Amino acid sequence: QDTARARPRLKPRRLAMALCPGDTTQWDDIHRRLGNFAPRPKEVPQRVLDKALVEAAEKVDALEACSLKELDKVEDDVEEDTLAVYRRRRIAELKAAQRAAKFGEVLTLTRTTFVHQVTEGSANGQWVVVLMYLDASHACHRILRPWGEVARRFPAVKFMQGIASEIVPDFPDASTPTVLIYRDTECVRQIVGLDEWGGSRCSADSIEWVLAKQGIVETEIEDDPRLQPATPSGV
């Protein structure tokens, strides 16, 4: 009989597994000491990160993008001399934009002038918006009333209008009003009907809102005017 005592069996040693990104295991640490793994990157102290964030924030000019209306809202929080500098800058920018403006009124469009006024007129990034309407349509008159007001608000945009059938032969009455949006000699969008302009809520503000959503104009209107109660005049 073999009386030799059985040698105890050793359980294999398990090394911990890293569960979170950035954690290391005992296995990783051993190999790093042996030079098999690259050293762990040094952690940046939180105070260094905080300092970098503060310095970055200090470099941001919060007033640079403010409109005149927004500057008025912060006049109690900003020194008067500083605010005056930004106001003068905004006023100079507005005057420059006004000098660059070419229009400011609604121009009449016909079939014979379409190519020159619209297609060629939209070259070099010029926005041209054309309202095609039916004179006997109530829906058309709801957008015709404020159309001129929006043209005056944004004189850098070329606003035009014309009777649909005189611009496009046999244009369907049911498709009026239709607005064509041109830029760089291409029709980039056409909006058929009154719904997108607010329907019975169509106004100068709602037209401005829709054009701003298309990137044609910039607006300071904060809430969608189409969600406001309808007005009898539509303006």
Side-chain angles (χ1 to χ4, degrees):
Q1 182 178 2
D2 187 1
T3 59
R5 296 178 63 183
R7 301 178 65 180
R9 300 177 61 186
L10 299 177
K11 293 182 178 180
R13 186 178 180 183
R14 294 184 178 180
L15 299 177
M17 177 184 296
L19 298 179
C20 298
D23 288 352
T24 62
T25 64
Q26 186 178 357
W27 176 258
D28 296 334
D29 294 338
I30 292 172
H31 276 278
R32 283 196 177 91
R33 285 198 297 270
L34 295 174
N36 297 329
F37 286 0
R40 285 190 68 189
K42 292 183 178 181
E43 294 184 3
V44 180
Q46 186 62 41
R47 57 182 177 78
V48 177
L49 293 175
D50 292 342
K51 182 180 179 182
L53 288 173
V54 171
E55 291 177 349
E58 289 175 345
K59 293 179 181 179
V60 176
D61 190 346
L63 300 178
E64 181 60 37
C66 286
S67 64
L68 283 173
K69 184 177 180 180
E70 291 168 335
L71 290 173
D72 290 339
K73 292 179 180 179
V74 298
E75 61 182 356
D76 293 335
D77 303 318
V78 181
E79 292 184 5
E80 186 175 348
D81 291 344
T82 301
L83 202 60
V85 170
Y86 283 94
R87 279 180 172 148
R88 287 196 296 270
R89 190 179 300 173
R90 291 294 90 79
I91 291 172
E93 291 171 353
L94 288 173
K95 288 182 177 179
Q98 289 172 354
R99 287 194 296 270
K102 306 174 184 177
F103 311 106
E105 61 181 355
V106 179
L107 304 176
T108 301
L109 182 65
T110 64
R111 187 185 318 166
T112 57
T113 60
F114 190 96
V115 172
H116 175 67
Q117 293 285 356
V118 180
T119 308
E120 296 174 355
S122 66
N124 301 316
Q126 174 64 55
W127 286 106
V128 180
V129 288
V130 180
L131 170 58
M132 300 198 303
Y133 65 94
L134 176 67
D135 201 29
S137 166
H138 175 70
C140 289
H141 280 279
R142 291 213 57 107
I143 191 171
L144 275 168
R145 293 188 192 105
W147 194 248
E149 168 60 26
V150 184
R152 289 187 290 273
R153 290 184 186 181
F154 302 100
V157 177
K158 189 175 186 179
F159 285 83
M160 307 199 74
Q161 67 183 42
I163 297 174
S165 60
E166 293 182 2
I167 298 174
V168 180
D170 300 320
F171 192 87
D173 293 348
S175 295
T176 59
T178 288
V179 173
L180 306 177
I181 301 174
Y182 271 74
R183 194 183 196 196
D184 292 325
T185 72
E186 297 287 341
C187 182
V188 297
R189 177 88 196 276
Q190 68 176 26
I191 302 175
V192 179
L194 195 62
D195 288 347
E196 188 164 345
W197 303 104
S200 61
R201 295 174 174 81
C202 181
S203 65
D205 285 350
S206 70
I207 294 173
E208 176 179 330
W209 179 270
V210 174
L211 294 180
K213 291 298 181 183
Q214 301 297 320
I216 299 172
V217 302
E218 293 185 3
T219 183
E220 293 185 354
I221 299 174
E222 297 179 353
D223 300 317
D224 190 342
R226 298 171 297 180
L227 304 180
Q228 303 300 318
T231 57
S233 63
V235 296

